[in-house]
């Protein structure tokens, strides 16, 4: 692939001298239960089948702070700004130590959530818009961002199927929207969707209707990513993972 | 630099911060201020840089394994600060305490700038924090502070010596260079942030007397007496 300038959103990182990379960065955004990991798994298979090396990133996966962040989430000690900055530390640690080297080496990086989820959560929790934008302004702009939109009702179903409980933070319980976890979850997810809608105008995401069938979504993603990489969108059989095929 | 988040000054407490190079004697001075205010019966709380329990494990792991880069070094210290700020400093200011801070956001601004992090970015990062009522800047000639620290040939820590910058592999030389650059940063912030400069080459008790005078002049201390138990 030709080297491509990967401009930053605003400021550049002092760690990155020459931001020209051979790789590509695709971000998938969406709530828990929107089907992100299923789709990323299928995309990885397809990319590897076509000879592309794939690297994954996600939230809370950095060497530096992932364990400590997980620990902090278990207690009731995380205040808003602290949480924003802790997640940002996690994000930039991965960006600097893993993503940028991978992009330089020509990998296709698939981000299972990127800065948009982090910003949407911060904003839903009342963070200042300009402050939040500034925080993530040294991030690298992805080649494409796919936002998986799912109705709140669908999300509830999928979360119950997967974990049989709703997650405290994904339900925004810390915001005191409602003592009832179910209504808090629905309210918080709507707030996030609203933030994504606002960001969509600014950043121009591809909105994916994630209520659709797994293979329909996968075909759309392959078409869009394939177009950027020059992989033909030949009708390929999409082998669904057994656990998911019933859905 | 435009402030993006103007923190509300909706509190009755007072915030006093000390800043200065390693070896400027600022920790000794703020300790003496703390003892003075405590013994006089005022509501006082002391907080120091880099001490949040929540973040401590990550910071020390990052430093030990040398995982930190300028950006993550900056962010993890901001996280540490935010945790102390949101859970202690601000609530205590709201409760009407005199909060004493051994190093405040200016330490981060100076060090991060030396590490090449975008100055404007860091300043905005810390925009959520109120500025102190008094920021004492313990100003000492670079050579004096270096001598105070280096005389005992201490084992300098990797980041403390700025070895992460890769300027030189000699920790003492690196420390000199690093401190020199931090000094320049402090000098450049002096006026902009209205530091109260204290000549830190004077005797300890002489400095302390001046500091106490300045505090008395600027803060109506009787308003901060501990409330008697009934």
């Amino acid at each position: 692939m030709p080297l491509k300038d990967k401009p930053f959103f605003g400021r550049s990182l002092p760690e990155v001298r020459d931001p020209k990379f051979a790789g590509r960065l695709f971000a998938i955004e969406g709530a828990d239960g929107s089907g992100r990991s299923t789709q990323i798994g299928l995309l990885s298979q397809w990319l590897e089948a076509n000879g592309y090396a794939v690297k994954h990133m996600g939230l809370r996966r950095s060497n530096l702070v992932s364990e400590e962040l997980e620990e902090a989430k278990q207690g009731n000690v995380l205040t808003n700004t602290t949480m924003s900055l802790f997640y940002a530390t996690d994000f930039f640690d991965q960006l600097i130590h893993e993503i940028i080297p991978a992009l330089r080496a020509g990998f296709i990086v698939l981000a299972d959530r990127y800065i948009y989820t982090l910003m949407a959560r911060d904003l839903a929790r009342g963070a200042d818009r300009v402050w939040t934008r500034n925080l993530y302004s040294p991030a690298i702009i992805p080649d494409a961002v796919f936002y998986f939109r799912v109705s709140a009702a669908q999300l509830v179903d999928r979360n119950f199927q997967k974990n049989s409980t709703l997650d405290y933070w994904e339900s925004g319980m810390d915001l005191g929207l409602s003592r009832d976890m179910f209504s808090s979850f629905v309210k918080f997810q709507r707030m996030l969707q609203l933030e994504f809608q606002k960001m969509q105008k600014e950043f121009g995401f591809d909105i994916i209707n994630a209520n659709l069938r797994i293979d329909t979504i996968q075909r759309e993603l392959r078409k869009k990513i394939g177009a950027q990489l020059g992989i033909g969108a030949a009708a390929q059989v999409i082998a669904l993972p057994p656990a998911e095929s019933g859905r | 630099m435009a402030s993006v988040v103007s923190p509300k000054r909706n509190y009755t407490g007072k915030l006093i911060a000390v800043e200065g190079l390693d070896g400027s004697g600022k920790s000794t001075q703020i300790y003496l201020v703390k003892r003075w205010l405590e013994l006089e019966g005022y509501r006082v709380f002391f907080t120091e840089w880099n001490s949040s329990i929540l973040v401590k494990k990550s910071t020390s792991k990052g430093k030990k394994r040398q995982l930190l880069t300028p950006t993550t070094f900056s962010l993890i210290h901001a996280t540490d600060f935010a945790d102390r700020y949101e859970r202690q400093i601000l609530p205590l200011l709201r409760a009407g305490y005199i909060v004493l801070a051994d190093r405040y956001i200016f330490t981060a601004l100076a060090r991060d700038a030396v590490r090449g992090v975008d100055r404007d970015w860091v300043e905005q990062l810390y925009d959520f924090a109120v500025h102190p009522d008094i920021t004492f800047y313990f100003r000492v000639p670079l050579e004096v502070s270096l001598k105070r620290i280096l005389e005992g040939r201490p084992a300098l820590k990797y980041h403390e010596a700025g070895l992460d910058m890769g300027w030189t592999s000699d920790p003492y030389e690196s420390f000199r260079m690093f401190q020199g650059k931090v000094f320049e940063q402090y000098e450049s912030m002096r006026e902009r942030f209205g530091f109260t400069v204290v000549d830190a080459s004077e005797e300890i008790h002489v400095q302390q007397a001046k500091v106490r005078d300045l505090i008395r002049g600027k803060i109506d201390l009787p308003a901060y007496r501990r409330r008697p138990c009934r």
Side-chain angles (χ1 to χ4, degrees):
Chain A
M1 282 179 286
L3 288 187
K4 200 172 156 189
D5 265 316
K6 285 274 184 309
F8 300 95
F9 282 102
R11 310 171 199 287
S12 54
L13 289 168
E15 290 86 351
V16 184
R17 288 278 169 263
D18 185 21
K20 284 193 189 325
F21 307 120
R24 296 287 182 271
L25 170 63
F26 299 101
I28 314 273
E29 299 280 0
D32 276 5
S34 60
R36 293 185 325 267
S37 40
T38 306
Q39 294 296 339
I40 286 175
L42 292 168
L43 280 176
S44 306
Q45 260 180 38
W46 166 68
L47 287 166
E48 287 175 355
N50 280 282
Y52 289 89
V54 178
K55 173 100 188 160
H56 293 154
M57 79 169 289
L59 308 185
R60 278 197 326 281
R61 294 193 198 164
S62 71
N63 270 330
L64 187 59
V65 297
S66 55
E67 280 168 50
E68 290 74 10
L69 187 47
E70 188 56 48
E71 237 170 69
K73 279 177 68 193
Q74 301 309 317
N76 50 356
V77 291
L78 266 180
T79 46
N80 288 347
T81 312
T82 311
M83 183 153 60
S84 303
L85 289 166
F86 222 160
Y87 269 100
T89 311
D90 174 79
F91 172 81
F92 282 104
D93 189 55
Q94 287 185 68
L95 187 70
I96 292 162
H97 284 300
E98 298 182 40
I99 304 319
I100 288 173
L103 288 172
R104 259 196 217 295
F107 278 62
I108 307 298
V109 176
L110 299 178
D112 184 350
R113 293 187 289 196
Y114 199 65
I115 61 168
Y116 310 99
T117 290
L118 296 171
M119 291 201 289
R121 286 180 184 171
D122 286 355
L123 293 170
R125 289 195 162 84
D128 181 275
R129 213 160 279 280
V130 181
W131 187 83
T132 306
R133 281 301 303 272
N134 174 68
L135 178 58
Y136 287 105
S137 65
I140 285 176
I141 303 177
D143 293 282
V145 181
F146 302 101
Y147 172 52
F148 287 13
R149 234 200 116 136
V150 187
S151 62
Q154 270 267 18
L155 277 184
V156 173
D157 271 2
R158 292 188 186 182
N159 273 282
F160 277 125
Q161 271 177 28
K162 208 161 97 184
N163 302 319
S164 64
T165 60
L166 295 171
D167 178 76
Y168 178 88
W169 298 98
E170 279 284 305
S171 306
M173 285 301 280
D174 58 310
L175 286 167
L177 301 169
S178 165
R179 303 270 309 215
D180 165 23
M181 205 156 185
F182 176 77
S183 31
S184 182
F185 178 88
V186 173
K187 278 183 191 159
F188 186 58
Q189 292 301 327
R190 290 218 173 103
M191 288 163 78
L192 290 177
Q193 286 185 353
L194 202 71
E195 290 303 336
F196 269 107
Q197 260 170 40
K198 284 186 205 155
M199 281 195 280
Q200 201 273 332
K201 286 185 195 122
E202 196 181 342
F203 298 106
F205 306 149
D206 275 310
I207 294 187
I208 304 287
N209 178 357
N211 289 327
L212 297 175
R213 290 163 49 104
I214 292 177
D215 52 343
T216 312
I217 298 170
Q218 182 64 205
R219 213 159 278 133
E220 194 180 340
L221 291 173
R222 289 185 183 184
K223 207 169 105 193
K224 287 183 164 148
I225 293 175
Q228 289 213 28
L229 299 177
I231 307 174
Q236 297 165 54
V237 183
I238 297 167
L240 297 182
E244 311 278 351
S245 49
R247 209 147 74 191
Chain B
M1 220 284 312
S3 182
V4 292
V5 192
S6 304
K8 283 187 213 118
R9 297 190 76 97
N10 55 350
Y11 55 86
T12 54
K14 292 285 177 191
L15 176 60
I16 302 174
V18 293
E19 290 281 0
L21 292 178
D22 294 351
S24 62
K26 63 187 171 326
S27 302
T28 307
Q29 293 295 332
I30 196 82
Y31 170 76
L32 290 170
V33 169
K34 175 174 173 267
R35 289 306 289 145
W36 167 53
L37 294 174
E38 277 170 357
L39 293 168
E40 298 274 318
Y42 298 113
R43 293 191 298 278
V44 59
F45 174 81
F46 170 76
T47 179
E48 64 186 320
W49 194 246
N50 209 6
S51 65
S52 142
I53 295 160
L54 190 68
V55 185
K56 203 164 217 149
K57 253 172 71 186
S58 294
T59 318
S60 58
K61 178 170 75 183
K63 286 183 178 169
K64 246 181 247 148
R65 298 198 209 152
Q66 298 174 13
L67 293 172
L68 294 170
T69 68
T71 304
T72 53
F73 187 95
S74 171
L75 283 167
I76 203 137
H77 284 88
T79 312
D80 183 290
F81 176 80
D83 184 41
R84 288 182 298 117
Y85 185 79
E86 290 185 314
R87 293 202 295 146
Q88 298 180 316
I89 298 175
L90 195 57
L92 281 154
L93 287 174
R94 300 263 293 144
Y97 271 69
I98 299 175
V99 176
L100 306 176
D102 187 350
R103 297 188 175 281
Y104 199 65
I105 62 173
F106 311 106
T107 286
L109 301 187
R111 290 181 179 171
D112 291 348
V114 170
R115 290 199 158 83
V117 179
D118 186 295
R119 181 59 185 269
D120 203 43
W121 180 73
V122 191
E123 279 191 24
Q124 287 198 36
L125 216 57
Y126 282 98
D127 254 353
F128 62 90
V130 296
H131 285 193
D133 296 278
I134 312 176
T135 306
F136 287 111
Y137 167 40
F138 289 88
R139 187 161 185 267
V140 61
L142 182 60
E143 277 311 311
V144 174
S145 67
L146 286 173
K147 210 175 145 205
R148 284 182 189 166
I149 297 280
L150 296 178
E151 216 164 28
R153 302 296 284 178
L156 294 170
K157 287 181 191 146
Y158 185 77
H159 288 90
E160 181 188 6
L163 282 168
D164 57 315
M165 300 312 294
W167 292 322
T168 160
S169 55
D170 173 10
Y172 295 102
E173 186 48 34
S174 179
F175 182 76
R176 279 170 191 283
M177 292 170 73
F178 192 76
Q179 293 292 312
K181 289 175 194 279
V182 171
F183 182 73
E184 283 167 23
Q185 290 297 325
Y186 273 128
E187 289 296 303
S188 76
M189 286 190 285
R190 254 172 82 174
E191 278 189 24
R192 233 177 96 223
F193 294 108
F195 292 169
T196 302
V197 181
V198 180
D199 178 356
S201 48
E202 287 194 293
E203 282 184 273
I204 289 175
H205 71 277
V206 176
Q207 289 180 55
Q208 183 64 202
K210 286 184 183 167
V211 165
R212 289 183 185 183
D213 271 349
L214 283 160
I215 292 175
R216 270 190 221 101
K218 205 147 182 204
I219 296 175
D220 176 29
L221 286 175
Y224 296 92
R225 279 221 180 277
R226 269 203 294 274
R227 296 157 186 124
C229 299
R230 294 205 190 170

